[in-house]
RNA sequence: GGCGCGUUAGCAAAUCGGUUAUGCACCGGAUUGCAAAUCCGUAGAGGCCGGUUCGACUCCGGCACGCGCCUCCA
């Protein structure tokens, strides 16, 4: 029985899909004007894990993750770069695809783009105006009338009064209420625009997610996810738009992942303290990064540092080491096995990956002790449900971390062969010298009954 | 100022009202030519102050500190 922490209820709830056996899930994706950083990595990996676990649990999942390919920052960046918006967004969509693939993130079923849903957005805006929830401001922009929507603030737990009290937004005199937000922006010189009943312009950010989720998942769907920073105002506004246009519940379960931090501060573009995925992946195997992300519960803060990545690497190495040298048959997971049961219980408890990992480590210990092929197969397949342990163990352990490596596998093998001769001749001084030389090059040797194996530190 | 979250051993990170979390690091032992890996074992925890309870890291209250949202942000 899967339980999910629902941000809307501020409580863990038993997951009951709208349609038995099916899950429709929407996640707010990237605005593509720059490379993805670790905060983006966390969203991608976390909801990939969620989608995988739902599928493992037998659900037929439709996973939608949007791409925001038109907004202020994109326009600004394209102008700075003196390139077209299409060229800019095209480049960064490709970069995003490369980064997510490296992290073992499966493609969502649908990746809708904002610019391909303008008619749907216009239609929704019309309906909101008809329902008395939107109006044309004095500057020609179309605004959502927040005070007309009963329940505004229910997701973020804020009342309109509280929000006004903490007002930090510059008062826009074109709005009826300072908290009203824009649905449709009238065109400014030199900006991309589309025709609309309210004149040429472009969509406000919040509107695209309401329009795209409506288009691909319908008026009412199961799970909506995103980073915790989107809870307000983005998701609050989505609720206002979608429920205001549909007159029905929008989403049953809202999920928000915690932030990635640096020195206990949120990693963000505005603070400038971010690391891109491609930067980190140069130093650490992408699977280590995935492991690091899933090692913390998805709702907890995740502090990034090279040392923490190093720890994650050591831990992942232990799992792969347990699998090394075992011929693993492709057998179905035995969920009635004690380890399988505990793993499932952990995952069903709001996707408790740290607890699930603990089970994997205990399984690894069991494999190391018994050499049991069944246990090894279970370890691997449980790991696989999280998108981990999919590679050949030896290949993982010997995989280079790019620029750092000075020796090729062939060179290492040559050293090992030389050392073997020295050892046969009982020339241990020479054997140890070779081992030391390799160690300095980041190569660790392990002498076993079947000969010497090696791995990279 | 309003609202919310967090504080677990050297580091990371879960569970749980009473029984070993887990990983890394550390210490002792086994194994090894010596190592590495592995195994066995030891040690180490719950911000502070109260309350409830036979018993609290776990529930309740207060305090302190940290973080986040209230503005674009994953």
């Amino acid at each position: 029985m899967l339980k999910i922490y629902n941000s809307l209820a501020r409580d863990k709830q038993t997951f009951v899909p709208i349609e038995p056996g099916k899950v429709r899930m929407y996640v707010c994706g990237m605005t593509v004007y720059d490379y993805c950083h670790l905060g983006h990595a966390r969203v991608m990996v976390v909801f990939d894990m969620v989608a995988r676990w739902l599928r493992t649990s037998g659900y037929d999942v439709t996973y939608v993750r949007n791409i925001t390919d038109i907004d202020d920052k994109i326009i600004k960046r394209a102008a700075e770069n003196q390139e077209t918006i299409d060229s800019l967004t095209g480049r960064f969509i490709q970069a995003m695809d490369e980064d997510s693939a490296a992290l073992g993130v499966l493609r969502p079923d649908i990746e809708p783009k904002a610019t391909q849903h303008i008619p749907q957005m216009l239609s929704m805006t019309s309906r909101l105006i008809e329902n008395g929830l939107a109006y044309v401001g004095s500057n020609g922009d179309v605004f959502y009338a927040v005070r007309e929507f009963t329940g505004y603030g229910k997701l973020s737990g804020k009342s309109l009064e509280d929000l006004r009290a903490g007002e930090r937004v510059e008062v826009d005199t074109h709005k009826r209420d300072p908290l009203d937000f824009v649905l449709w922006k009238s065109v400014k010189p030199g900006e991309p625009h589309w025709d609309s009943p309210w004149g040429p312009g472009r969509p406000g950010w919040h509107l695209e997610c309401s329009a795209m989720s409506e288009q691909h998942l319908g008026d009412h769907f199961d799970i909506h996810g995103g980073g915790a920073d989107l809870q307000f105002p983005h998701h609050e506004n989505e609720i206002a738009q979608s429920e205001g246009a549909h007159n029905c519940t929008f989403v049953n379960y809202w999920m928000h992942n915690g932030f990635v931090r640096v020195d206990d501060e949120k990693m963000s573009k505005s603070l400038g303290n971010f690391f891109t995925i491609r930067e980190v992946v140069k130093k650490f195997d992408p699977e280590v990064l995935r492991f690091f992300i899933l090692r913390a519960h998805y709702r907890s803060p995740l502090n990034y540092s090279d040392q923490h990545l190093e720890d994650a690497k050591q831990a992942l190495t232990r799992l792969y080491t347990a699998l090394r040298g075992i011929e693993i048959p492709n057998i179905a997971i035995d969920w009635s096995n004690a380890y399988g049961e505990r793993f499932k219980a952990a995952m069903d408890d709001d996707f408790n990956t740290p607890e699930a990992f603990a089970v994997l480590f205990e399984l690894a210990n069991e494999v190391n002790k018994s050499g049991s092929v069944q246990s090894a197969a279970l370890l691997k397949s449980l790991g696989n449900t999280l998108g981990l342990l999919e590679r050949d163990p030896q290949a993982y352990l010997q995989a280079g971390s790019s620029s750092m490596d000075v020796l090729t596998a062939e060179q290492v093998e040559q050293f090992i062969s030389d050392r073997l001769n020295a050892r046969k001749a009982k020339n241990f001084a020479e054997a140890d010298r070779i081992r030391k030389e390799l160690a300095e090059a980041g190569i660790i040797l392990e002498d076993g009954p079947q000969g010497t194996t090696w791995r990279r530190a």
Side-chain angles (χ1 to χ4, degrees):
Chain A
M1 187 87 86
L2 174 63
K3 287 194 171 178
I4 297 180
Y5 181 89
N6 187 353
S7 304
L8 188 61
R10 275 167 274 278
D11 200 13
K12 266 187 223 174
Q13 300 179 322
T14 299
F15 177 71
V16 181
I18 295 167
E19 211 179 319
K22 295 196 175 177
V23 178
R24 283 170 290 158
M25 175 163 90
Y26 185 96
V27 171
C28 289
M30 262 49 75
T31 301
V32 283
Y33 69 100
D34 207 340
Y35 292 112
C36 291
H37 64 220
L38 295 182
H40 301 116
R42 193 174 192 189
V43 179
M44 293 196 282
V45 168
V46 160
F47 288 101
D48 178 62
M49 172 276 288
V50 168
R52 283 174 188 256
W53 184 249
L54 290 168
R55 292 197 171 107
T56 298
S57 304
Y59 289 109
D60 175 11
V61 179
T62 304
Y63 175 22
V64 177
R65 191 185 65 207
N66 73 294
I67 295 172
T68 300
D69 61 348
I70 182 69
D71 94 319
D72 292 354
K73 286 175 177 164
I74 290 172
I75 293 168
K76 183 163 171 268
R77 183 64 58 89
E80 283 167 8
N81 291 359
Q82 297 189 305
E83 68 179 317
T84 64
I85 284 173
D86 280 356
S87 151
L88 177 81
T89 57
R91 272 195 302 127
F92 286 113
I93 288 169
Q94 196 191 331
M96 175 183 79
D97 289 344
E98 289 164 5
D99 293 342
S100 60
L103 292 174
V105 171
L106 303 174
R107 291 294 283 259
D109 300 289
I110 306 168
E111 295 180 83
K113 293 183 182 130
T115 54
Q116 291 173 354
H117 296 77
I118 302 292
Q120 290 85 347
M121 293 192 236
L122 295 177
S123 154
M124 183 168 273
T125 303
S126 295
R127 279 175 281 155
L128 288 171
I129 292 174
E130 282 163 26
N131 288 350
L133 293 166
Y135 61 93
V136 181
S138 52
N139 62 349
D141 288 0
V142 182
F143 294 102
Y144 190 101
V146 149
R147 79 179 83 161
E148 304 300 328
F149 179 71
T150 314
Y152 188 81
K154 63 184 173 185
L155 177 63
S156 49
K158 299 172 191 300
S159 69
L160 286 173
E161 292 69 44
D162 292 343
L163 286 164
R164 291 197 187 99
E167 194 60 66
R168 283 199 277 152
V169 193
E170 278 186 41
V171 176
D172 180 340
T173 52
H174 307 292
K175 297 177 183 176
R176 290 181 192 165
D177 186 299
L179 293 168
D180 288 351
F181 58 92
V182 69
L183 297 170
W184 187 258
K185 300 182 182 193
S186 50
V187 69
K188 292 193 186 69
E191 287 189 352
H193 55 273
W194 291 263
D195 286 332
S196 87
W198 314 283
R202 60 189 170 92
W205 174 43
H206 312 297
L207 186 58
E208 64 175 82
C209 287
S210 286
M212 290 190 277
S213 61
E214 174 188 71
Q215 173 76 20
H216 299 286
L217 297 174
D219 292 358
H220 179 204
F221 55 95
D222 300 289
I223 298 173
H224 189 127
D229 45 0
L230 298 186
Q231 190 165 353
F232 189 90
H234 184 56
H235 290 159
E236 195 70 63
N237 291 350
E238 276 187 55
I239 292 174
Q241 291 165 342
S242 295
E243 299 197 346
H246 302 143
N247 293 309
C248 72
T249 300
F250 176 39
V251 167
N252 284 359
Y253 303 87
W254 285 89
M255 293 180 66
H256 294 97
N257 65 272
F259 299 127
V260 176
R261 296 181 182 178
V262 177
D263 297 329
D264 288 315
E265 262 195 339
K266 176 183 173 182
M267 177 182 293
S268 74
K269 290 274 175 88
S270 27
L271 286 172
N273 61 347
F274 62 90
F275 295 88
T276 62
I277 295 172
R278 43 194 57 204
E279 222 174 326
V280 173
V281 158
K282 274 183 198 155
K283 289 189 282 187
F284 296 94
D285 190 294
E287 188 170 353
V288 169
L289 181 51
R290 184 180 177 96
F291 182 91
F292 168 71
I293 289 170
L294 295 176
R295 203 149 83 114
H297 185 86
Y298 76 91
R299 284 190 282 115
S300 302
L302 180 63
N303 229 353
Y304 170 81
S305 75
D306 279 1
Q307 188 53 52
H308 292 159
L309 265 287
E310 201 58 54
D311 289 352
K313 178 182 171 181
Q314 292 304 320
L316 182 58
T317 293
R318 178 170 166 80
L319 296 181
Y320 266 121
T321 301
L323 295 175
R324 180 172 55 177
I326 299 176
E327 199 66 43
I328 292 172
N330 200 357
I331 49 176
I333 295 172
D334 175 10
W335 293 109
S336 66
N337 173 290
Y339 293 104
E341 243 174 29
R342 285 173 52 209
F343 185 92
K344 178 169 161 43
M347 290 301 290
D348 277 347
D349 182 14
D350 193 31
F351 310 97
N352 192 341
T353 50
E355 181 65 25
F357 277 19
V359 175
L360 296 186
F361 284 103
E362 289 178 41
L363 244 181
N365 177 253
E366 149 70 19
V367 171
N368 285 333
K369 270 192 281 198
S370 67
S372 157
V373 171
Q374 273 71 27
S375 296
L378 184 60
L379 171 57
K380 181 175 165 64
S381 51
L382 289 176
N384 289 170
T385 66
L386 298 170
L388 295 166
L389 304 181
E390 286 171 343
R391 292 191 265 166
D392 172 66
Q394 193 76 300
Y396 168 81
L397 293 167
Q398 296 183 349
S401 50
S402 69
S403 52
M404 307 286 285
D405 299 320
V406 292
L407 293 178
T408 64
E410 292 70 33
Q411 288 171 313
V412 173
E413 295 295 350
Q414 184 56 53
F415 275 109
I416 288 175
S417 161
D418 292 347
R419 177 168 168 272
L420 182 62
N421 290 332
R423 291 182 73 208
K424 275 181 182 159
K426 301 278 186 209
N427 185 352
F428 294 120
E430 172 64 5
D432 291 351
R433 189 197 62 74
I434 293 172
R435 185 170 62 198
K436 191 163 175 244
E437 191 178 335
L438 285 171
E440 280 160 6
I443 306 296
I444 295 167
L445 296 189
E446 294 170 359
D447 296 328
Q450 272 82 46
T452 299
T453 56
W454 65 278
R455 63 190 169 91
R456 294 194 195 267

